[in-house]
Amino acid sequence: MEDAGKKASHAASGGKNNSALRAAVEEAEILLAFASGRGIALAPEVVKALVKSKTLLSGDLDAPDTFEQQAAFWDAREKLAEAVRPVTIASLKATTQTLSRTGRLGDLLDRWFGEKPFTKADRAVHQFRTWAFWALLGLLVLQVYWIVGSRVTADIKPLLQSVADNQQKQDREQDKLDQQRARSPTAADAADSHEWQRLEAQAQEFERQMLIRYEILQKWNEVWRKPLALLGVLPAQSEQAEPGSPYLLLQKAMLTAEFASHGLERYILPLLYGFLGACLYVLRTLASDIKALAYTPEQNTLYRLRVYMGMLAGLIIIWFLPVTEADPGLKSLTPFALAFLAGYSIDLLFALMDKLIAAFSGK
């Protein structure tokens, strides 16, 4: 009876110890199969120790004669892990082990679109690919919107200057006509009616051009004013036309549009460019890791942090650049490109900041 009790106690102790060793042996077997399939050379004694480790699972691990075999197994497993690095058992499971949709939504998707097994690596690619798609879509929409507003406001400035010059010419012509009429009304009307009519026709054409641009600019401003009005940031704009001359109305709309255009150029667009650059970096890194079977789900946290840091990097690097007055299609090529590069390679921003700090600290 006493011997039977000892055997039962050893069996229970061996069962507890076997759980950790069994998992290690099974993982070693998977890595050994991977190394063999990839043609990774291993020392014969390493392979022998790994294969022989299976016999440990059926014996008593507390027996003195198994200690040497256990030590040989763990030493061989360490050499195996070094040989197949960066591949690990976690990365192999994440890139090769397929999963299925779960929950009610998963059942509905399987019913509508059919079962589609996926790996954890596929899930990560889908997540960051979706982020990149929405970043690109939002960037294209806002970029086109910003270019339209910038082009219109850039065309308005010379138009307003031409209107002011034409008004000055009309005023001078009017003074000249008044002086000539005081001397000879008939002669003045005959001599200067052609010039006056030309200036008046030009003024009417300018007014027509101002009304066209005012209508375009008002619609452009409504795109960003309405969301802010719904949020209560700005007061709701009346639908009725504002009183005033076309010159003053256009000037007011232009100043309002320049405010929004500056905000897009200096804050929103660089943020999106940094976001897109960071997403591209993550997708490129994911592709390399999956190809090498080195991806693990724990990397998702680092990738998400990389995306957030890329957004901030794209915004911060714009602060180091001076504001230039040039064609809207050309002046922001370099800032936006730098914002994209900063999002793709955060080291670029860190290197710039380190140089600035070293310039003042001397270190």
Side-chain angles (χ1 to χ4, degrees), residues 130-300:
T130 303
W131 286 15
F133 170 77
W134 287 112
L136 180 60
L137 182 62
L139 180 60
L140 289 176
V141 171
L142 285 180
Q143 183 82 47
V144 172
Y145 174 72
W146 171 76
I147 287 178
V148 170
S150 299
R151 291 285 186 180
V152 173
T153 53
D155 292 340
I156 287 174
K157 290 180 179 179
L159 176 62
L160 293 179
Q161 184 62 43
S162 300
V163 170
D165 294 341
N166 187 74
Q167 184 62 42
Q168 291 179 359
K169 291 180 181 179
Q170 281 187 303
D171 292 340
R172 288 196 298 267
E173 188 66 23
Q174 184 65 43
D175 293 340
K176 182 179 177 182
L177 285 175
D178 292 342
Q179 292 175 4
Q180 290 182 353
R181 283 196 185 97
R183 294 191 300 269
S184 176
T186 305
D189 292 343
D192 296 320
S193 60
H194 178 70
E195 180 64 18
W196 175 260
Q197 290 176 2
R198 187 186 68 82
L199 291 174
E200 183 65 22
Q202 195 171 15
Q204 292 177 0
E205 176 62 22
F206 285 150
E207 182 174 354
R208 188 177 70 85
Q209 294 293 331
M210 285 190 295
L211 290 175
I212 292 174
R213 283 165 174 77
Y214 172 73
E215 183 178 356
I216 295 174
L217 210 55
Q218 277 293 88
K219 293 184 179 298
W220 190 89
N221 285 330
E222 287 178 3
V223 174
W224 65 268
R225 285 184 62 93
K226 283 185 176 180
L228 296 181
L230 291 175
L231 295 174
V233 179
L234 290 178
Q237 194 173 16
S238 176
E239 296 293 335
Q240 298 179 354
E242 299 181 17
S245 66
Y247 183 89
L248 295 178
L249 290 176
L250 185 59
Q251 193 174 37
K252 179 182 177 181
M254 182 189 68
L255 294 175
T256 306
E258 284 182 338
F259 167 76
S261 178
H262 180 77
L264 286 172
E265 180 185 357
R266 300 294 295 182
Y267 301 102
I268 307 300
L269 287 174
L271 199 72
L272 287 176
Y273 271 100
F275 183 28
L276 184 62
C279 288
L280 179 61
Y281 171 84
V282 169
L283 289 174
R284 182 173 179 267
T285 306
L286 266 175
S288 300
D289 289 345
I290 293 173
K291 182 179 180 181
L293 299 179
Y295 165 78
T296 57
E298 290 76 13
Q299 293 174 272
N300 287 348

Side-chain angles (χ1 to χ4, degrees), residues 91-128:
S91 66
L92 282 177
K93 290 181 179 180
T95 53
T96 60
Q97 189 176 30
T98 58
L99 306 172
S100 300
R101 300 188 182 103
T102 58
R104 293 184 178 179
L105 180 59
D107 294 338
L108 289 176
L109 292 176
D110 289 342
R111 187 180 304 173
W112 292 341
F113 303 103
E115 294 185 5
K116 186 178 181 182
F118 59 92
T119 64
K120 292 182 178 180
D122 295 334
R123 182 185 296 172
V125 171
H126 176 73
Q127 175 187 355
F128 291 105

